[in-house]
Amino acid sequence: MSSNADLQQRRQNAVPRGVSNSLVVYADRAASAELWDVEGRRFIDFASGISVLNTGHLHPKVKAALAGQLERFTHTCFQVTPYESYIALAEQLNAAAPGSTPKKTIFLSTGAEAVENAIKIARFHTRRSALIAFSGGFHGRTLACISLTGKVQPYKAGFGPMLPEIYHLPYPIPYHDVSVEDSLAALEQLFKADLDPARVAAIIIEPVLGEGGFYTAPAELLRKLRQLCDQHGIVLIVDEIQSGFARTGRMFAVEYSGIEPDLMVVAKSIAGGVPLSAVIGKAAIMDAPGPGALGGTFAGSPLACAAGLAVLDVIRDERLTERALHMGHFMTSRLKGLQARFPCIGDVRGPGAMVAMELVKNSRADQPHPELTSALVQAAGRAGLIILACGIYSNVIRFLAPLTISDAVLKEGFNLLEKALAEVAS
Ligand SMILES: Cc1ncc(COP(=O)(O)O)c(C=O)c1O
């Protein structure tokens, strides 16, 4: 049997440090919201492999769909000999996307690839080049995506030059005194001083900042962006890669605002752990690039599409949007209870089950506590709970338990969190 320590040694010799690990816990097997490491130790998983497992580890329906597909074929390349599951999944996502405008969907493999394709489609459609994104936003690790991402360390520094003609606006964060008015004033100033709106291909925004710390874009901002995009012929791209697929209590977080995005990028929980991503968008925009301009060898693989269809069934059959609201209620009230006991918890927030707490010094929003945050991740790991840090100041703990978790395991996880907090906060 391999030990975590042995594997860590081998990992350090064989794998570059640029891809980091939050815990020295090597996975052996997992089911729903539980994971066992190579030493046989059980963990409760509040990370879901960074928001990939809304339907849990190895959901029986996803497993059966994958097994069924394995009996038939694993790869043909959709561009060579296509298959029905790709079309069926596209049809279902077109129907599930917000708004009544006819939609089309293209599949890719990773979130970053979906963002890249959305940008290509928006540029082709508008014949414009400039792009607007938000500081604190995260859109992936390819060169175009790090250019859009609004955080220099560790994502952009050293990898330049970035893509030209990308502009960042402040994301509204009331806890840090940034309002919707501040964001909109920055946009107005940008259009006045630097950038002709007639040159802007797209504005891209996460309806809830993921890596940035689970701050929610107020509906008011999204509606105003919708209006400005309509006014200037700009494509509005909503990045639902982390917030999609029932996590926030709606299929997609943008539904809370009532707007219809032009393009939406999705990935992560779309296929229960099999790599898959998509751009879902208004058909007239999606059809702009000509044949051969879009695609990829593995994009929308048969295994991924089979899993994706099963995931949509599970979300519907197990009413996971309602479950997310129920879980969110429990998680938020439990965290608020902890906040009363531990003053280092400066803020508790998040829609549905996309919940986070922000750790600060002296109860002050302007004094982030990243050291305590990383100590808590390690202490929780020792206690048997997998949690993830995030945030512009690396001082946020995000909770992304599978939506299939039982109430008992969810509660047990929060008991472990409380124990870990007591250890590091004292
Ligand atoms: C909002 C958002 N966009 C894009 C990405 C990039 O996705 P991937 O890591 O699959 O390339 C992520 C990943 O964390 C994300 O959270």
Side-chain angles (χ1 to χ4, degrees), residues 309-426:
L309 286 166
V311 161
L312 292 182
D313 283 349
V314 173
I315 290 175
R316 190 184 49 242
D317 296 349
E318 300 186 17
R319 304 161 84 113
L320 292 187
T321 48
E322 283 167 47
R323 175 76 188 143
L325 294 176
H326 173 80
M327 280 172 62
H329 189 262
F330 168 83
M331 290 155 82
T332 309
S333 59
R334 190 73 195 261
L335 289 174
K336 293 224 163 160
L338 291 175
Q339 190 179 24
R341 200 177 133 205
F342 297 102
C344 59
I345 303 179
D347 191 35
V348 172
R349 57 175 174 263
M354 194 165 178
V355 173
M357 66 179 181
E358 183 152 349
L359 300 180
V360 295
K361 296 171 192 160
N362 307 314
S363 304
R364 292 187 54 133
D366 62 353
Q367 294 186 13
H369 209 333
E371 305 82 12
L372 183 71
T373 311
S374 52
L376 181 59
V377 171
Q378 297 307 317
R382 287 193 296 276
L385 175 69
I386 304 168
I387 51 173
L388 280 177
C390 66
I392 301 162
Y393 308 105
S394 309
N395 67 325
V396 176
I397 297 287
R398 54 182 149 173
F399 299 95
L400 289 164
L403 304 176
T404 54
I405 194 171
S406 68
D407 284 344
V409 176
L410 184 64
K411 199 167 157 201
E412 189 188 345
F414 272 89
N415 291 343
L416 296 176
L417 176 76
E418 185 165 356
K419 188 175 151 203
L421 252 176
E423 182 191 321
V424 295
S426 60

Side-chain angles (χ1 to χ4, degrees), residues 50 110-113 115 138-140 206 211 239 241-242 267-268:
I50 322 188
T110 66
E113 213 186 340
V115 172
F138 180 85
H139 299 287
E206 291 165 84
E211 302 300 305
D239 182 340
I241 288 170
Q242 192 151 162
K268 292 195 184 277

Side-chain angles (χ1 to χ4, degrees), residues 50-52 109-115 137-142 145 149 204-212 239-243 265 267-268 276-277 354 398:
I50 322 188
S51 200
V52 168
S109 302
T110 66
E113 213 186 340
V115 172
F138 180 85
H139 299 287
R141 284 186 167 85
T142 61
C145 291
T149 285
I204 182 165
I205 185 166
E206 291 165 84
V208 184
L209 278 193
E211 302 300 305
D239 182 340
E240 289 270 4
I241 288 170
Q242 192 151 162
S243 54
V265 284
K268 292 195 184 277
L276 183 67
S277 65
M354 194 165 178
R398 54 182 149 173

Side-chain angles (χ1 to χ4, degrees), residues 44-393:
I44 293 176
D45 188 358
F46 277 9
S48 286
I50 322 188
S51 200
V52 168
L53 300 160
N54 288 357
T55 51
H57 288 278
L58 284 183
H59 191 288
K61 285 191 180 154
V62 175
K63 208 170 150 180
L66 286 169
Q69 184 59 44
L70 273 175
E71 292 296 324
R72 298 172 59 225
F73 58 95
T74 57
H75 181 79
T76 62
C77 186
F78 189 74
Q79 290 137 258
V80 181
T81 47
Y83 33 90
E84 184 178 353
S85 55
Y86 187 117
I87 299 162
L89 189 57
E91 286 167 346
Q92 291 200 28
L93 291 174
N94 294 339
S100 56
T101 312
K103 306 282 190 317
K104 288 194 175 180
T105 290
I106 178 172
F107 293 107
L108 298 312
S109 302
T110 66
E113 213 186 340
V115 172
E116 292 264 352
N117 277 272
I119 296 305
K120 282 171 63 180
I121 294 166
R123 280 188 163 177
F124 203 101
H125 169 74
T126 57
R127 305 285 171 165
R128 303 173 181 179
S129 49
L131 302 165
I132 296 175
F134 284 81
S135 54
F138 180 85
H139 299 287
R141 284 186 167 85
T142 61
L143 271 171
C145 291
I146 60 171
S147 307
L148 293 167
T149 285
K151 189 176 176 188
V152 171
Q153 293 290 353
Y155 306 121
K156 298 163 90 127
F159 295 120
M162 299 290 118
L163 220 61
E165 293 193 278
I166 292 186
Y167 302 83
H168 286 91
L169 302 175
Y171 195 94
I173 303 179
Y175 186 60
H176 291 283
D177 291 329
V178 184
S179 65
V180 170
E181 291 71 34
D182 293 330
S183 302
L184 291 173
L187 182 58
E188 200 182 314
Q189 182 62 20
L190 180 69
F191 283 165
K192 202 153 106 190
D194 273 327
L195 179 62
D196 179 357
R199 276 187 35 229
V200 180
I203 298 180
I204 182 165
I205 185 166
E206 291 165 84
V208 184
L209 278 193
E211 302 300 305
F214 284 21
Y215 305 100
T216 302
E220 190 193 340
L221 175 73
L222 293 171
R223 288 192 201 122
K224 185 69 187 172
L225 291 179
R226 179 67 280 169
Q227 185 215 312
L228 288 168
C229 285
D230 288 341
Q231 184 185 337
H232 298 293
I234 298 169
V235 173
L236 181 59
I237 305 172
V238 171
D239 182 340
E240 289 270 4
I241 288 170
Q242 192 151 162
S243 54
F245 296 96
R247 170 59 54 189
T248 65
R250 298 283 175 94
M251 189 63 172
F252 300 108
V254 71
E255 289 171 35
Y256 283 107
S257 70
I259 67 155
E260 179 175 9
D262 296 311
L263 302 179
M264 205 163 69
V265 284
V266 296
K268 292 195 184 277
S269 273
I270 184 175
V274 185
L276 183 67
S277 65
V279 185
I280 311 165
K282 293 181 179 168
I285 301 176
M286 293 294 290
D287 271 333
L294 305 174
T297 307
F298 291 113
S301 89
L303 286 167
C305 290
L309 286 166
V311 161
L312 292 182
D313 283 349
V314 173
I315 290 175
R316 190 184 49 242
D317 296 349
E318 300 186 17
R319 304 161 84 113
L320 292 187
T321 48
E322 283 167 47
R323 175 76 188 143
L325 294 176
H326 173 80
M327 280 172 62
H329 189 262
F330 168 83
M331 290 155 82
T332 309
S333 59
R334 190 73 195 261
L335 289 174
K336 293 224 163 160
L338 291 175
Q339 190 179 24
R341 200 177 133 205
F342 297 102
C344 59
I345 303 179
D347 191 35
V348 172
R349 57 175 174 263
M354 194 165 178
V355 173
M357 66 179 181
E358 183 152 349
L359 300 180
V360 295
K361 296 171 192 160
N362 307 314
S363 304
R364 292 187 54 133
D366 62 353
Q367 294 186 13
H369 209 333
E371 305 82 12
L372 183 71
T373 311
S374 52
L376 181 59
V377 171
Q378 297 307 317
R382 287 193 296 276
L385 175 69
I386 304 168
I387 51 173
L388 280 177
C390 66
I392 301 162
Y393 308 105

